[in-house]
């Protein structure tokens, strides 16, 4: 057993979609969420800058004595995960491997998979590399969707602007007739219903938050890192800038009107 908390970080509110799944799967675990809202977005930054920012986030969470870290950010996972693993001895996991392993376990032959993510993630080609390494005869169609993360931060996830953006971004996937679409940025599950309207029920929409939560169920057991089953988990929230829409959007996502009372502004420099 390990009573230490699990640390999660993202550049903004997107990682809350991962946090929501962790809260659902692990009601007995204490969770610490760090949103680097001061430096949002990560998607248009250089790899060197993303590694630098991710290192600061990881160091801050380690200062809180976490037992492991989840990078709840597609961009940071694709460009900084391997570097962080070289720096820290603490277990650190991102959203890509767990998702790819789940697809591999539940695969069909000749899969055609769409991946939507930030510009930085798509340019890294990490999703396509991992999918093709693990799954035979898979075809991957990538699409950068740079407008979606900023829109999610503003709470624009179901208005007319969001509908038009999703309609435009989904065009190549409707044309290619994909089997699955990976939401490769943790902000994107906030647009799930609009994506469903465009692609229909035949296309499986893959939420990476669900996959990392499933992965952790096995990992915590194997490594004997679970908290006591009877423990009632708590959640702490830290932001590098509170002058943003994080509180409003996160409160709606977690259905918690009192989340603003639990948020603390911190300096990770």
């Amino acid at each position: 057993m390990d009573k230490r908390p699990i640390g999660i970080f993202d550049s903004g509110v997107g990682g809350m979609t991962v946090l929501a799944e962790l809260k659902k799967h692990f009601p007995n675990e204490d969770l610490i969420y760090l949103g680097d809202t001061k430096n949002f977005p990560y998607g248009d930054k250089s790899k060197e800058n993303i590694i630098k920012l991710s290192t600061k986030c990881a160091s801050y969470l380690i200062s809180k004595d976490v037992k492991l870290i989840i990078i709840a950010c597609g961009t940071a996972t694709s460009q900084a995960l391997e570097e962080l693993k070289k720096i820290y001895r603490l277990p650190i996991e991102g959203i890509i491997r767990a998702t790819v392993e789940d697809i591999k376990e539940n695969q069909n032959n000749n899969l055609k998979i769409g991946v939507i993510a930030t510009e930085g993630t798509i340019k890294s080609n990490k999703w396509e590399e991992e999918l093709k390494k693990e799954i035979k005869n898979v075809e991957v169609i990538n699409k950068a969707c740079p407008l979606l993360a900023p829109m999610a931060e503003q709470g624009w996830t179901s208005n007319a602007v969001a509908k038009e953006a999703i309609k435009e971004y989904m065009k190549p996937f409707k044309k290619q007739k994909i089997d699955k679409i990976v939401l490769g940025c943790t902000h994107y599950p906030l647009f799930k219903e609009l994506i469903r309207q465009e692609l229909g029920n035949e296309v499986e929409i893959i939420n990476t938050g669900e996959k990392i939560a499933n992965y952790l169920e096995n990992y915590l057991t194997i490594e004997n890192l679970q908290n006591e089953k009877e423990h009632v988990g708590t959640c702490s929230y830290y932001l590098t800038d509170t002058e943003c829409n994080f509180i409003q959007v996160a409160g709606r996502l977690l259905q918690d009107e009192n989340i603003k009372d639990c948020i603390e502004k911190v300096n990770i420099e």
Side-chain angles (χ1 to χ4, degrees):
M1 295 296 172
D2 194 324
K3 297 181 180 180
R4 292 177 297 166
I6 295 172
I8 306 106
F9 79 84
D10 180 38
S11 61
V13 77
M16 297 295 280
T17 62
V18 176
L19 181 75
E21 293 297 329
L22 296 182
K23 289 183 70 174
K24 186 190 309 179
H25 281 71
F26 308 106
N28 63 317
E29 295 290 346
D30 294 331
L31 306 172
I32 295 179
Y33 185 89
L34 174 62
D36 188 15
T37 43
K38 180 180 179 180
N39 294 298
F40 175 85
Y42 280 9
D44 59 0
K45 290 180 171 56
S46 67
K47 181 175 181 178
E48 291 75 18
N49 202 5
I50 291 167
I51 292 172
K52 180 179 178 181
L53 293 170
S54 298
T55 301
K56 291 179 179 180
C57 289
S59 294
Y60 182 81
L61 290 172
I62 289 172
S63 76
K64 293 292 183 180
D65 194 31
V66 297
K67 57 189 172 187
L68 61 91
I69 294 174
I70 299 299
I71 304 177
C73 172
T75 304
T77 297
S78 66
Q79 302 193 48
L81 175 61
E82 296 307 317
E83 291 301 317
L84 293 185
K85 285 186 173 181
K86 294 176 184 177
I87 297 171
Y88 304 106
R89 297 177 62 185
L90 192 79
I92 303 176
E93 191 55 72
I95 64 172
I96 295 179
R97 185 177 69 154
T99 303
V100 171
E101 287 184 356
D102 181 87
I103 295 172
K104 181 181 179 180
E105 290 177 5
N106 299 283
Q107 68 173 308
N108 299 314
N109 293 325
N110 303 313
L111 276 181
K112 188 178 289 188
I113 299 176
V115 176
I116 55 174
T118 65
E119 291 277 8
T121 300
I122 295 300
K123 287 179 180 179
S124 76
N125 208 37
K126 197 67 174 179
W127 278 105
E128 184 165 357
E129 287 178 1
E130 291 298 319
L131 285 165
K132 288 186 174 180
K133 183 171 70 176
E134 297 296 333
I135 302 171
K136 294 181 179 179
N137 302 320
V138 66
E139 181 179 349
V140 181
I141 300 97
N142 296 295
K143 178 66 177 176
C145 303
L147 295 179
L148 296 189
M151 288 169 61
E153 292 287 324
Q154 293 296 321
W156 291 12
T157 56
S158 59
N159 61 12
V161 177
K163 291 177 182 178
E164 285 302 312
I166 293 297
K167 183 177 181 180
E168 183 65 28
Y169 285 144
M170 292 302 109
K171 283 182 179 180
F173 305 118
K174 294 173 73 172
K175 183 177 180 180
Q176 295 278 355
K177 296 181 180 179
I178 59 173
D179 302 298
K180 306 173 187 287
I181 186 165
V182 175
L183 308 184
C185 169
T186 53
H187 286 79
Y188 295 179
L190 297 170
F191 300 93
K192 184 176 180 179
E193 293 309 314
L194 294 184
I195 294 171
R196 170 68 64 217
Q197 290 173 25
E198 287 297 315
L199 297 183
N201 295 322
E202 296 80 15
V203 177
E204 180 186 357
I205 299 176
I206 298 177
N207 179 348
T208 57
E210 295 175 356
K211 305 312 177 187
I212 193 67
N214 291 338
Y215 167 84
L216 275 184
E217 284 187 356
N218 289 328
Y219 182 82
L220 293 177
T221 301
I222 293 171
E223 299 296 328
N224 196 29
L225 291 174
Q226 318 101 308
N227 204 334
E228 297 173 348
K229 289 185 178 181
E230 61 274 14
H231 177 73
V232 178
T234 62
C235 194
S236 302
Y237 308 92
Y238 299 93
L239 302 181
T240 54
D241 185 2
T242 53
E243 297 299 319
C244 59
N245 288 321
F246 179 98
I247 296 172
Q248 179 184 359
V249 178
R252 187 164 63 246
L253 176 63
L254 297 179
Q255 298 181 338
D256 184 358
E257 297 179 354
N258 300 316
I259 190 173
K260 61 182 179 181
D261 300 324
C262 307
I263 292 175
E264 180 180 339
K265 184 178 179 180
V266 296
N267 183 0
I268 63 172
E269 298 300 323

